Amino acid sequence: MENRKPSTAQVLKFAIPSLMGALLFLVPMKVGGKYVLGVSILCDIIQGWMNPIVNQLAILFLSIAVVLPIINMICKPKFIQENKTMRSLFDISPLILAVRIIGLIYVICYLYKIGPEMIWNEATGGEAYYIVTTILTLMVGTSFLISLLTDFGIMDYVGIMVRKLMKPLFTLPGRASLDCIASWVGSSLTGALLTSTQYKDGYYTKRESCVIMTCFSTAAFSFIFVLARVCGLEEFFLPSVLVIYAAVIPCAIILPRVYPLNKAKDEYSTNIGSILLKTYGQDVRNRAKARAAAGSDARMNGCELPVIINSGSGNQGITVSVPVIEYAKELQVGHEKLLRALVISNLTAIHEKTGIGTLSAYCGAVSAGAAAGAGIAYLDNGTYEAVIHTVVNALAVVSGIVCDGAKASCAAKIASSVDAGILGYHMFLNNQEFKSGDGIVMKGIEPTITGIGRIGKDGMRETNEEIIRLMINQ
């Protein structure tokens, strides 16, 4: 692979904002006889701009936070339902809406001296309102300034540098380093949302997501700054950070190794392999599907073990290999015959994929599952006729499966495709086959593969675009 050097513009785009962020948040300056951070000075300026209109902003923001969820509950408007960010803000539960309504009522009562004195008295409600508005103005400032550390590459760079430490220190996969840095440097909420999304998408096991949420979403750099400023302790901000992280980091090392986190199950996502074995038993056909699915499940969910690839895909590499190896063990064939079967399955998959191309909405597991069937047919002393009929039969069954990205459901698609490959071989053994004219089946193996290539490359072009649109708007 060619090792491309970054351009000068790319280096500057990384270095300048990252350096500015480091200077603002990490380097104290002496102003008025005491040491303060650059971000504190900028927040003073922003707070000065916002103070004259902070009351109006509080009512405006809370009104929007109340009205739009009500509109969403009644009308389900597209601008909320089809936008992920808008949906996360305004497609909320009745309980959260009730809390927002109470907040709006409280602000109106305080500002216009309505209701009991305990709400609007300066010693009670006034103090609470001061803290809320101070945090509001600070969050506006820090949310923009913290992006200098989070959005221009320095966080990713540090995350990649510490990847190898994640497993021995925190019992987490290397990919978790970015989530952990995001939680500590960015905000706890950002880290928690990122981890929750990664878990729901199947990239972390239950145990890993619990460890990250418990150990890393507790002490955000930006929140420590806001807290120090509200309490009037800005000059002690950096010592506070050092003391807090001196406690948090050892806790993050110890807690994953003690109860209850050490008892959380290291289950990958949907556990398709386990479900297959539990439901359908331990016969070789089911083991072949289950172990291929389990390999994909682990890979899609952060397992960092190496995997063989086929047609540029690790999942396809698993699919053309694991079922064939499982059958070789069951049939007790020699090592050389296993290697020949793997050559057949791998080359068959590559041949199928040649006409489809690199990227397509046609699921690559289908080609790989049919190819695995070809390898299994060869292992079982199948002839050339057995192999080609196996491939055609399998393609006729599952060619409608679409690719919607690498994620947890790939394991189930692999299981279905391997099942179709094995079914295709058993159809041949029972003198059954899909014939020319049965849907997309053509006269012979080569015309059928060519037709599949046309479907994958040309026919699914618009399908691919529509899938991307659906995924972006989630």
mmCIF file of all heavy atoms in Angstrom, residues 410-426:
data_model
loop_
_atom_site.group_PDB
_atom_site.id
_atom_site.type_symbol
_atom_site.label_atom_id
_atom_site.label_comp_id
_atom_site.label_asym_id
_atom_site.label_seq_id
_atom_site.Cartn_x
_atom_site.Cartn_y
_atom_site.Cartn_z
ATOM 1 N N CYS A 410 -24.620 -8.356 9.851
ATOM 2 C CA CYS A 410 -23.829 -9.133 8.888
ATOM 3 C C CYS A 410 -23.734 -10.598 9.322
ATOM 4 O O CYS A 410 -23.712 -11.504 8.483
ATOM 5 C CB CYS A 410 -22.422 -8.559 8.756
ATOM 6 S SG CYS A 410 -22.360 -6.966 7.911
ATOM 7 N N ALA A 411 -23.685 -10.852 10.633
ATOM 8 C CA ALA A 411 -23.570 -12.223 11.135
ATOM 9 C C ALA A 411 -24.763 -13.055 10.705
ATOM 10 O O ALA A 411 -24.625 -14.219 10.295
ATOM 11 C CB ALA A 411 -23.434 -12.217 12.655
ATOM 12 N N ALA A 412 -25.962 -12.485 10.790
ATOM 13 C CA ALA A 412 -27.173 -13.213 10.395
ATOM 14 C C ALA A 412 -27.206 -13.442 8.883
ATOM 15 O O ALA A 412 -27.646 -14.491 8.405
ATOM 16 C CB ALA A 412 -28.412 -12.450 10.844
ATOM 17 N N LYS A 413 -26.747 -12.446 8.134
ATOM 18 C CA LYS A 413 -26.711 -12.599 6.673
ATOM 19 C C LYS A 413 -25.721 -13.686 6.274
ATOM 20 O O LYS A 413 -25.962 -14.442 5.330
ATOM 21 C CB LYS A 413 -26.340 -11.264 6.025
ATOM 22 C CG LYS A 413 -27.387 -10.179 6.236
ATOM 23 C CD LYS A 413 -26.973 -8.873 5.578
ATOM 24 C CE LYS A 413 -28.010 -7.791 5.850
ATOM 25 N NZ LYS A 413 -27.670 -6.515 5.211
ATOM 26 N N ILE A 414 -24.608 -13.755 6.974
ATOM 27 C CA ILE A 414 -23.616 -14.809 6.711
ATOM 28 C C ILE A 414 -24.212 -16.180 7.009
ATOM 29 O O ILE A 414 -24.066 -17.120 6.221
ATOM 30 C CB ILE A 414 -22.345 -14.561 7.538
ATOM 31 C CG1 ILE A 414 -21.555 -13.393 6.944
ATOM 32 C CG2 ILE A 414 -21.467 -15.815 7.610
ATOM 33 C CD1 ILE A 414 -20.397 -12.925 7.791
ATOM 34 N N ALA A 415 -24.919 -16.302 8.136
ATOM 35 C CA ALA A 415 -25.544 -17.588 8.478
ATOM 36 C C ALA A 415 -26.540 -18.016 7.402
ATOM 37 O O ALA A 415 -26.573 -19.188 6.997
ATOM 38 C CB ALA A 415 -26.239 -17.478 9.836
ATOM 39 N N SER A 416 -27.341 -17.061 6.915
ATOM 40 C CA SER A 416 -28.322 -17.379 5.865
ATOM 41 C C SER A 416 -27.633 -17.792 4.573
ATOM 42 O O SER A 416 -28.072 -18.727 3.888
ATOM 43 C CB SER A 416 -29.217 -16.166 5.607
ATOM 44 O OG SER A 416 -29.957 -15.828 6.757
ATOM 45 N N SER A 417 -26.543 -17.100 4.240
ATOM 46 C CA SER A 417 -25.840 -17.386 2.981
ATOM 47 C C SER A 417 -25.130 -18.741 3.036
ATOM 48 O O SER A 417 -25.140 -19.494 2.055
ATOM 49 C CB SER A 417 -24.833 -16.270 2.686
ATOM 50 O OG SER A 417 -25.504 -15.032 2.553
ATOM 51 N N VAL A 418 -24.506 -19.052 4.177
ATOM 52 C CA VAL A 418 -23.865 -20.370 4.328
ATOM 53 C C VAL A 418 -24.923 -21.464 4.279
ATOM 54 O O VAL A 418 -24.723 -22.516 3.648
ATOM 55 C CB VAL A 418 -23.068 -20.436 5.651
ATOM 56 C CG1 VAL A 418 -22.568 -21.862 5.907
ATOM 57 C CG2 VAL A 418 -21.891 -19.465 5.606
ATOM 58 N N ASP A 419 -26.074 -21.226 4.913
ATOM 59 C CA ASP A 419 -27.165 -22.191 4.877
ATOM 60 C C ASP A 419 -27.611 -22.442 3.436
ATOM 61 O O ASP A 419 -27.880 -23.594 3.051
ATOM 62 C CB ASP A 419 -28.332 -21.678 5.710
ATOM 63 C CG ASP A 419 -29.456 -22.685 5.805
ATOM 64 O OD1 ASP A 419 -29.277 -23.705 6.481
ATOM 65 O OD2 ASP A 419 -30.514 -22.457 5.189
ATOM 66 N N ALA A 420 -27.684 -21.362 2.640
ATOM 67 C CA ALA A 420 -28.073 -21.514 1.232
ATOM 68 C C ALA A 420 -27.033 -22.321 0.464
ATOM 69 O O ALA A 420 -27.384 -23.136 -0.409
ATOM 70 C CB ALA A 420 -28.256 -20.142 0.589
ATOM 71 N N GLY A 421 -25.742 -22.100 0.770
ATOM 72 C CA GLY A 421 -24.686 -22.861 0.111
ATOM 73 C C GLY A 421 -24.785 -24.352 0.409
ATOM 74 O O GLY A 421 -24.664 -25.198 -0.490
ATOM 75 N N ILE A 422 -25.038 -24.681 1.683
ATOM 76 C CA ILE A 422 -25.158 -26.087 2.081
ATOM 77 C C ILE A 422 -26.433 -26.695 1.483
ATOM 78 O O ILE A 422 -26.436 -27.834 0.994
ATOM 79 C CB ILE A 422 -25.158 -26.210 3.615
ATOM 80 C CG1 ILE A 422 -23.826 -25.696 4.176
ATOM 81 C CG2 ILE A 422 -25.382 -27.654 4.045
ATOM 82 C CD1 ILE A 422 -23.810 -25.549 5.685
ATOM 83 N N LEU A 423 -27.530 -25.915 1.507
ATOM 84 C CA LEU A 423 -28.776 -26.377 0.891
ATOM 85 C C LEU A 423 -28.570 -26.648 -0.600
ATOM 86 O O LEU A 423 -29.071 -27.650 -1.141
ATOM 87 C CB LEU A 423 -29.880 -25.339 1.096
ATOM 88 C CG LEU A 423 -31.199 -25.583 0.348
ATOM 89 C CD1 LEU A 423 -31.868 -26.869 0.838
ATOM 90 C CD2 LEU A 423 -32.145 -24.393 0.499
ATOM 91 N N GLY A 424 -27.839 -25.751 -1.262
ATOM 92 C CA GLY A 424 -27.578 -25.936 -2.691
ATOM 93 C C GLY A 424 -26.886 -27.255 -2.986
ATOM 94 O O GLY A 424 -27.211 -27.941 -3.974
ATOM 95 N N TYR A 425 -25.947 -27.643 -2.109
ATOM 96 C CA TYR A 425 -25.249 -28.918 -2.308
ATOM 97 C C TYR A 425 -26.183 -30.092 -2.060
ATOM 98 O O TYR A 425 -26.198 -31.076 -2.816
ATOM 99 C CB TYR A 425 -24.040 -28.990 -1.382
ATOM 100 C CG TYR A 425 -23.314 -30.315 -1.456
ATOM 101 C CD1 TYR A 425 -22.917 -30.853 -2.684
ATOM 102 C CD2 TYR A 425 -23.038 -31.036 -0.294
ATOM 103 C CE1 TYR A 425 -22.255 -32.079 -2.748
ATOM 104 C CE2 TYR A 425 -22.367 -32.250 -0.350
ATOM 105 C CZ TYR A 425 -21.991 -32.773 -1.584
ATOM 106 O OH TYR A 425 -21.347 -33.987 -1.658
ATOM 107 N N HIS A 426 -26.998 -30.011 -1.011
ATOM 108 C CA HIS A 426 -27.911 -31.115 -0.713
ATOM 109 C C HIS A 426 -29.014 -31.233 -1.763
ATOM 110 O O HIS A 426 -29.518 -32.347 -2.003
ATOM 111 C CB HIS A 426 -28.497 -30.947 0.689
ATOM 112 C CG HIS A 426 -27.552 -31.336 1.779
ATOM 113 N ND1 HIS A 426 -27.385 -32.636 2.189
ATOM 114 C CD2 HIS A 426 -26.675 -30.596 2.515
ATOM 115 C CE1 HIS A 426 -26.474 -32.693 3.143
ATOM 116 N NE2 HIS A 426 -26.026 -31.463 3.360
#
